[in-house]
Amino acid sequence: MAILAGAVLRTTMNFTLGDGTQYQNVYHHQRIGPGLLLTDAQHVAALSSWAEDMYAELDDQVSLNIVEGLSTVDRVEFVEGEWTVTEAIGTFTIAWVPTLAANAALPNQVSPFVSFKTARPKSVGRKFLFPFTEAGISSGLLEAASVAAMVAYADDAVNNVEVDFPLDYLVPGLARVGVDDFLDFTVAIVTNLTGTQRRRRLGYGA
């Protein structure tokens, strides 16, 4: 099936933390543009390039023992009250080269995060990032270099993904839970605070 204007794609990024815990971020994009002959492979390639550039912004904040995994792209549609995968579009693995091998990582549950606002005040996206290393935090707050890396990540995340210049692209946003509605991200919010990702306990999932 062709990926036409209005289609919503879900990209699931997979990594493994140093202790074997699975780390995952999920992104949604809506297809914009008139192109009718653009292939699934073109969309996957565009998302792969976007993801690789985006996560490269963080590679000097995390330990070397975090390993990239196979990431997936799926089409999702609103079916019987929920967003459902209706087609597997493709897979990719980014080139990921973290650099802080000598620095100990913070506990898995300590997670820097970025918030993404939409035009609907109550609909806010949030991405919990890798546990940074101990060098990136002081007195409970993230250091300036860590915040700068997150700002660069957020700038990549909130921008459109070009599929075929200049008319065909993917807009990042939020697929509302329980509602057939896709909300574009309007701005990213970064702070020097960390969040808590309880699901990242040893032996648990993303």
Side-chain angles (χ1 to χ4, degrees):
M1 297 175 62
I3 300 174
L4 304 178
V8 176
L9 301 183
R10 184 183 75 180
T11 302
T12 305
M13 300 295 304
N14 293 298
F15 297 83
T16 303
L17 303 183
D19 62 2
T21 298
Q22 297 301 303
Y23 164 96
Q24 190 176 83
N25 283 146
V26 177
Y27 303 85
H28 289 86
H29 291 84
Q30 187 171 51
R31 169 76 153 74
I32 302 297
L36 301 178
L37 301 178
L38 301 179
T39 65
D40 289 358
Q42 285 176 278
H43 289 80
V44 172
L47 287 165
S48 176
S49 178
W50 159 79
E52 187 165 294
D53 291 344
M54 180 172 64
Y55 282 98
E57 310 286 9
L58 304 174
D59 62 9
D60 60 353
Q61 300 299 316
V62 301
S63 296
L64 188 63
N65 59 8
I66 295 179
V67 180
E68 73 277 17
L70 184 69
S71 296
T72 61
V73 181
D74 300 299
R75 184 207 305 272
V76 294
E77 296 179 9
F78 194 74
V79 180
E80 296 182 355
E82 62 181 3
W83 290 94
T84 302
V85 174
T86 56
E87 183 183 10
I89 301 301
T91 62
F92 62 86
T93 303
I94 65 171
W96 165 248
V97 189
T99 58
L100 293 182
N103 294 330
L106 293 167
N108 290 352
Q109 290 178 267
V110 179
S111 179
F113 65 94
V114 177
S115 299
F116 298 93
K117 298 285 189 177
T118 70
R120 184 176 185 272
K122 293 184 178 181
S123 294
V124 179
R126 186 171 286 113
K127 293 292 175 283
F128 289 92
L129 304 179
F130 304 103
F132 286 4
T133 68
E134 292 176 351
I137 194 168
S138 177
S139 301
L141 298 176
L142 293 167
E143 296 280 12
S146 296
V147 174
M150 292 168 60
V151 169
Y153 158 90
D155 184 58
D156 290 343
V158 80
N159 285 328
N160 296 337
V161 178
E162 179 185 310
V163 179
D164 189 34
F165 182 81
L167 298 178
D168 296 286
Y169 52 93
L170 300 167
V171 176
L174 181 70
R176 287 182 61 189
V177 175
V179 181
D180 186 5
D181 190 19
F182 185 89
L183 299 171
D184 298 356
F185 289 149
T186 56
V187 67
I189 306 295
V190 175
T191 75
N192 62 350
L193 303 175
T194 60
T196 301
Q197 184 62 301
R198 292 181 175 84
R199 290 177 295 178
R200 290 187 190 158
R201 300 194 305 273
L202 183 62
Y204 283 72

